[in-house]
Amino acid sequence: MALRILAASARRGLGSRRDAGLLSASLQAPMTSALSVVQRRELHRSALVNSSVVNPGMPVMWAITYDKPGWNPEMELEWDVMPRDEFGVPAQIPPELSNTIRHTYYVPPQYYPFLKKLGDDTPELKPYMDKLINGEMTFDDYEEMFYAFAKPLKIYRPQIAMPYRTDEEIAKSDEVAWEGAWLSFRQRVLGDYTSRHYLRDFIAGMGLGLYLAWLYIQGHRQYRIDMKLFYLEAPEHKINWVKPRGDL
């Protein structure tokens, strides 16, 4: 009985479209007669909204489609950019397969003479330079070369300029400190004045608005009282009222 009442209310528009469709489908499923096959009564529902913002089947006012697939202005999830690992291999390729790829460094041919001369001048670098020229130098080889030939940075501290002030500048330290304290005091005074000023304006504006609203409400209340008294106490002044026929 409850299902029939809910179905009737859904058909009359008292329930949501989604509930109406579910109820109509659940009530019409057992109908297997020939009449139900020929004539089916249900509320037509629009296609499901394939969106990442709302759940499938959620009733919406409208559905927006765009030329670019996967584009959603309310919740931007850009799946067109393919995720990759640190070597640029797409993440769809499993690691056990992508790790077998031999990633090497590429250097334009115009740098080959310089690299060859660098290897000839430094015999320790020649194996690495040959690998780099032949396109066989991997990241592991680069790390090995880097940490084998890296040296700590030598710092010449006497050549670094130290903070320096003249005697005249040192003598003005108290004056500079006083100026900084004076500017800080001015900022605090300005902030205090600004907060008090705007707080006073806010309270005054709210009070004036509440007073005007109270005046309007009291005037409307008194108007209602006067009209009620007029129609109750002065029936001879009732305008356009139906004259009594005497039988009521």
Side-chain angles (χ1 to χ4, degrees):
M1 184 66 182
L3 289 176
R4 292 185 178 181
I5 295 176
L6 289 175
S9 63
R11 286 196 298 269
R12 293 178 180 272
L14 300 179
S16 61
R17 296 188 61 186
R18 183 183 181 187
D19 297 338
L22 293 176
L23 286 172
S24 61
S26 61
L27 291 176
Q28 292 165 7
M31 299 176 62
T32 57
S33 61
L35 182 59
S36 64
V37 176
V38 176
Q39 182 179 4
R40 177 179 291 261
R41 184 178 183 183
E42 63 179 355
L43 293 176
H44 296 283
R45 291 181 297 170
S46 59
L48 297 181
V49 180
N50 297 323
S51 175
S52 58
V53 179
V54 297
N55 296 324
M58 178 179 293
V60 294
M61 295 295 292
W62 58 81
I64 306 175
T65 58
Y66 292 88
D67 298 334
K68 183 178 180 182
W71 177 263
N72 194 330
E74 297 180 356
M75 186 176 181
E76 166 59 16
L77 295 176
E78 184 58 75
W79 301 115
D80 295 343
V81 179
M82 184 179 297
R84 299 175 181 272
D85 61 1
E86 63 272 14
F87 292 107
V89 180
Q92 286 79 4
I93 300 178
E96 56 270 13
L97 179 59
S98 63
N99 290 337
T100 58
I101 302 175
R102 194 161 173 263
H103 302 282
T104 58
Y105 288 98
Y106 168 77
V107 180
Q110 58 264 29
Y111 294 98
Y112 289 171
F114 168 74
L115 296 176
K116 186 176 184 304
K117 186 176 185 302
L118 187 60
D120 295 340
D121 295 343
T122 310
E124 297 85 359
L125 281 176
K126 186 170 178 56
Y128 301 102
M129 296 298 104
D130 293 342
K131 286 185 178 180
L132 189 57
I133 293 174
N134 297 328
E136 299 175 356
M137 189 173 187
T138 60
F139 182 72
D140 297 334
D141 297 333
Y142 169 77
E143 282 190 331
E144 180 183 349
M145 179 190 69
F146 178 83
Y147 288 109
F149 294 92
K151 296 180 181 179
L153 181 63
K154 188 175 183 179
I155 301 176
Y156 297 91
R157 293 190 179 275
Q159 297 182 7
I160 298 178
M162 299 296 292
Y164 177 75
R165 291 189 301 167
T166 62
D167 296 337
E168 184 180 358
E169 293 174 345
I170 294 175
K172 292 185 178 180
S173 299
D174 297 338
E175 181 181 356
V176 172
W178 184 88
E179 289 177 354
W182 169 244
L183 292 176
S184 301
F185 174 74
R186 290 181 59 186
Q187 291 175 354
R188 289 196 301 269
V189 170
L190 178 61
D192 191 7
Y193 168 77
T194 304
S195 9
R196 288 173 181 266
H197 172 72
Y198 284 104
L199 180 62
R200 182 173 62 247
D201 288 355
F202 174 77
I203 294 176
M206 290 295 293
L208 181 60
L210 291 175
Y211 175 69
L212 295 177
W214 179 80
L215 287 180
Y216 174 78
I217 293 173
Q218 291 300 317
H220 188 71
R221 175 175 174 271
Q222 192 63 38
Y223 168 78
R224 294 290 301 266
I225 293 175
D226 293 344
M227 295 303 294
K228 185 176 181 180
L229 290 175
F230 173 75
Y231 282 111
L232 289 179
E233 303 298 337
E236 64 276 6
H237 296 293
K238 295 177 183 178
I239 303 173
N240 294 331
W241 276 47
V242 180
K243 296 181 180 179
R245 298 177 296 177
D247 57 350
L248 297 179

